Amino acid sequence: SQTIHQWPATLVQPVGSPLSLECTVEGTSNPNLYWYRQAAGRGLQLLFYSVGIGQISSEVPQNLSASRPQDRQFILSSKKLLLSDSGFYLCAWMSGRAGTQYFGPGTRLTVL
Amino acid sequence: SQQGEEDPQALSIQEGENATMNCSYKTSINNLQWYRQNSGRGLVHLILIRSNEREKHSGRLRVTLDTSKKSSSLLITASRAADTASYFCATDEAKGSQGNLIFGKGTKLSVKP
C-alpha cells in the first residue's frame, strides 16, 4: 500500500532563516507530487506541483522553491523565511491523472 | 483562482442529526471531490463524483452534483461526534493542466454528543 511521509511535523524558525521540508512517498512510481499551504482556518493554496524528476511548476510567486531530486521525494525550501510563510504545509501525491490526491500529515511552520 | 466555495463556513449539530454542506464552483469540471480534515492533520479523501454522475453514496455519505448549477452537496446522515472535522470540496478544471485540484475554504462541522 502507498504511504506518504512528511517531516518535520512541527518547526519554529526565526525570520530570515532557511527552510527545508521533506516529503516522501512509498508504494507507487512516478506520482504527481504537490505542495500546499494552509493558513489558519483557511483552504489550501497550491504552491508547487511536479509530474516527474526535476520538473517543477510554480503556482504562486513567492520566496519558496521546490525540488524533486528523486521520483518519490519532494522538497520545499526557502533561503530566507518571512513571517508570512507561517502556516500548515501539506504534501500530496496523485497517480497520473486519476483525480484523487493523498495527503501527508503536514508540517506546522511558525516563523517568529 | 478560487474554484470551490463551501457553504456554510461553520455548522454545529447534535449527534444523530444530518449534516448538509454545499459547494459551488465556477468552471466546467471533470470531477468533484470531497475531503475531510481533522484539526491539525492532513486531508483524507472521502468521495469523488464525476461530471456525468448526479448522485453517489458511500456509507453514511451522500454526494450530489448539479453541473447546470455548478454546485454539489455533501450529506452526512446520522452524524457522530467523530464526524467533527472540516470538509472541503475540490474540483479539477476540465481544461486545466495535470489534473490539479482547486480547494474551497471548507466547512467546519461540529457534532455535539
Side-chain angles (χ1 to χ4, degrees):
Chain A
S1 63
Q2 300 88 2
T3 55
I4 178 169
H5 305 278
Q6 283 186 249
W7 65 89
T10 59
L11 191 60
V12 180
Q13 292 284 97
V15 169
S17 64
L19 173 74
S20 180
L21 303 181
E22 190 163 343
C23 171
T24 58
V25 181
E26 296 176 357
T28 187
S29 296
N30 196 31
N32 286 4
L33 295 172
Y34 304 84
W35 276 114
Y36 293 90
R37 177 168 59 202
Q38 184 178 31
R42 303 295 299 276
L44 278 69
Q45 179 187 36
L46 178 63
L47 301 176
F48 301 94
Y49 68 91
S50 171
V51 300
I53 296 174
Q55 301 178 59
I56 308 295
S57 296
S58 175
E59 289 292 301
V60 182
Q62 56 206 317
N63 72 320
L64 299 172
S65 62
S67 61
R68 185 170 177 174
Q70 300 179 46
D71 182 44
R72 289 168 287 181
Q73 184 184 31
F74 205 23
I75 297 173
L76 183 70
S77 304
S78 174
K79 292 182 179 178
K80 288 185 178 182
L81 284 169
L82 305 173
L83 287 173
S84 57
D85 291 324
S86 292
F88 191 50
Y89 289 82
L90 289 158
C91 179
W93 72 272
M94 182 172 76
S95 177
R97 297 195 63 171
T100 298
Q101 292 187 14
Y102 300 92
F103 285 79
T107 294
R108 174 76 57 192
L109 172 66
T110 302
V111 182
L112 301 176
Chain B
S1 62
Q2 189 73 38
Q3 173 74 318
E5 288 281 349
E6 290 90 346
D7 165 54
Q9 291 185 348
L11 180 61
S12 182
I13 59 175
Q14 293 293 130
E15 210 167 24
E17 295 179 340
N18 295 342
T20 300
M21 289 160 270
N22 303 296
C23 169
S24 60
Y25 58 92
K26 297 177 182 176
T27 66
S28 297
I29 60 172
N30 293 313
N31 61 65
L32 183 145
Q33 305 178 47
W34 286 90
Y35 288 80
R36 165 197 169 122
Q37 183 182 33
N38 284 44
S39 180
R41 308 294 292 274
L43 276 71
V44 175
H45 178 256
L46 295 176
I47 196 165
L48 180 152
I49 186 166
R50 303 197 183 283
S51 59
N52 61 354
E53 297 176 309
R54 292 297 166 258
E55 187 171 313
K56 204 162 183 179
H57 296 256
S58 177
R60 293 183 296 112
L61 305 181
R62 172 178 169 251
V63 170
T64 62
L65 180 64
D66 187 335
T67 52
S68 66
K69 294 181 180 179
K70 292 186 169 57
S71 67
S72 172
S73 67
L74 170 67
L75 169 67
I76 304 175
T77 59
S79 64
R80 306 167 181 168
D83 294 328
T84 295
S86 291
Y87 293 82
F88 296 88
C89 69
T91 55
D92 67 333
E93 295 180 332
K95 296 181 179 179
S97 62
Q98 312 302 336
N100 293 350
L101 298 179
I102 301 175
F103 287 82
K105 295 180 180 179
T107 292
K108 192 169 186 178
L109 174 65
S110 176
V111 182
K112 300 178 180 179

